[in-house]
Amino acid sequence: MTVATVLLLRHGRTAANASGGLAGRQPVELDDTGRAQAQRVGERLRAVSLAAVVTSPLRRCWQTLELALPGTDPAVDDGLIECGYGDWEGQPLKKLAKDPLWPVVQHHPSAVVFPNGEAMADMSARAVAAVRRWDAAVTAEHGPEAVWLACSHGDVIKAIVADAMGLHLDQFQRIVVDPASITAIRYTPTRPFLVRLNDTADLASLVPPKTAQRRRAARPAESSDAAVGGGAGAGV
């Protein structure tokens, strides 16, 4: 027995991503690069007949779908909304990297509760529940060959992937989900299968930038730290 396949689409790049800020639930929009990314992912999605399209309620996800799948009227699910970063929202990552909570976010995220915000464990639980609920509904209505799409955010998708791979949430910072990337998961009665991860069909993004570019785009802390919120990706 098999069930539907979910395509997890991260929204395109925003100005906050590009500037190294943590947007959180702020109403930021796609920048020029993000709009181009959304249009390109739309071209890739034309080959797929989608049984359902679901989205986070935040503007950057709506805007991505408007460009990628014009004419689509996506369902909104609050379970897919960005993590509630509380007082961290709108702050530069280079500043947040000096916060005592930063190393906990990196190495023990299951213990993190953002000040005046959400627990990362709660974010993971509600996102996984939302995807599994929609997956079961799509399968029941359209059959096991159906494919559906959920547009969400970097840390949210990483948490869903970690669950699908049977990883503890403390391992989810090892996963990379770039803007406008597609991750595909197929759930079954006994276990999920990760079919695609962070797929942008752009192998050039795997090539490290030149030294000067690397200095300009350096992360705010150690190079082994994960980009909280998902980061800006490799650009166009």
Side-chain angles (χ1 to χ4, degrees):
M1 180 180 175
T2 58
V3 294
T5 299
V6 56
L7 304 182
L8 300 169
L9 170 63
R10 185 182 171 196
H11 62 79
R13 196 183 81 170
T14 68
N17 295 144
S19 65
L22 184 62
R25 296 179 180 178
Q26 295 181 326
V28 299
E29 298 197 357
L30 304 185
D31 63 8
D32 289 342
T33 294
R35 287 189 285 272
Q37 290 171 336
Q39 289 170 339
R40 284 203 306 274
V41 80
E43 293 171 2
R44 297 172 61 204
L45 288 170
R46 287 192 190 120
V48 183
S49 178
L50 296 172
V53 178
V54 189
T55 183
S56 155
L58 295 183
R59 172 61 181 156
R60 54 195 183 269
C61 289
W62 273 93
Q63 193 175 17
T64 298
L65 292 176
E66 287 170 351
L67 293 167
L69 300 169
T72 300
D73 185 18
V76 178
D77 194 315
D78 288 342
L80 298 175
I81 197 171
E82 177 66 285
C83 184
Y85 296 115
D87 294 346
W88 277 34
E89 270 193 13
Q91 300 292 322
L93 291 177
K94 62 183 180 182
K95 176 183 176 181
L96 295 174
K98 300 174 184 178
D99 191 301
L101 189 61
W102 181 270
V104 187
V105 173
Q106 294 297 323
H107 304 295
H108 193 20
S110 64
V112 170
V113 180
F114 289 99
N116 294 311
E118 185 178 25
M120 294 198 96
D122 290 344
M123 174 273 289
S124 174
R126 49 97 168 156
V128 169
V131 167
R132 287 179 177 267
R133 182 175 64 252
W134 275 99
D135 202 71
V138 169
T139 300
E141 183 173 352
H142 299 280
E145 292 80 24
V147 179
W148 66 283
L149 183 142
C151 187
S152 189
H153 308 270
D155 278 353
V156 176
I157 295 174
K158 286 163 58 176
I160 295 168
V161 170
D163 170 78
M165 296 180 69
L167 298 176
H168 194 281
L169 185 61
D170 288 347
Q171 307 299 318
F172 99 131
Q173 298 290 29
R174 301 184 181 195
I175 300 166
V176 174
V177 176
D178 287 330
S181 65
I182 292 176
T183 293
I185 297 173
R186 183 177 298 119
Y187 293 92
T188 76
T190 56
R191 60 184 175 184
F193 289 88
L194 181 63
V195 182
R196 296 280 179 91
L197 175 64
N198 194 37
D199 189 347
T200 62
D202 180 9
L203 298 180
S205 66
L206 300 177
V207 179
K210 295 180 180 178
T211 304
Q213 293 174 317
R214 190 160 57 242
R215 279 199 295 265
R216 287 197 299 270
R219 286 180 178 165
E222 296 297 326
S223 61
S224 61
D225 283 355
V228 179
V236 176

